[in-house]
Amino acid sequence: MEFCYFVDLTINSKSPDIIIFDEPTNNLDIQNVEILTAAINEYQGTIIVVSHEETFLEQINIERQLNFDKNTAANKVLPQWG
């Protein structure tokens, strides 16, 4: 079902202002992760991504990161926001 939502985003003439991904690389092979990464990097809007994949997060050039653990919620602002 999640795939259908992504397909819908690609065929509309106007991009949404925000896209939310929850563990988008789960169940994707390497080729599809590369396709997803390229699409995210071309997107001009706001993206919220929940992911444990550090490499993927580096590849999509995140600008702000929120880290949570079971005891605390810490906002880690990356250097370019410093």
Side-chain angles (χ1 to χ4, degrees):
M1 189 63 149
E2 293 171 6
F3 178 74
C4 294
Y5 295 124
F6 189 68
V7 169
D8 185 48
L9 293 173
T10 62
I11 59 175
N12 286 325
S13 60
K14 183 179 181 291
S15 296
D17 294 327
I18 187 170
I19 300 175
I20 301 171
F21 291 105
D22 182 9
E23 298 291 352
T25 58
N26 281 4
N27 303 313
L28 293 182
D29 60 17
I30 294 171
Q31 180 181 9
N32 284 306
V33 170
E34 291 172 355
I35 292 168
L36 177 62
T37 300
I40 288 174
N41 285 326
E42 290 178 16
Y43 178 68
Q44 298 297 312
T46 300
I47 297 176
I48 297 173
V49 179
V50 176
S51 179
H52 294 91
E53 297 290 332
E54 292 292 328
T55 303
F56 173 72
L57 294 172
E58 290 172 10
Q59 291 174 341
I60 62 171
N61 304 310
I62 59 170
E63 295 176 1
R64 182 168 236 181
Q65 180 176 335
L66 299 173
N67 295 316
F68 299 96
D69 66 28
K70 65 180 180 178
N71 298 317
T72 62
N75 181 4
K76 176 183 174 187
V77 179
L78 298 180
Q80 63 264 32
W81 282 71

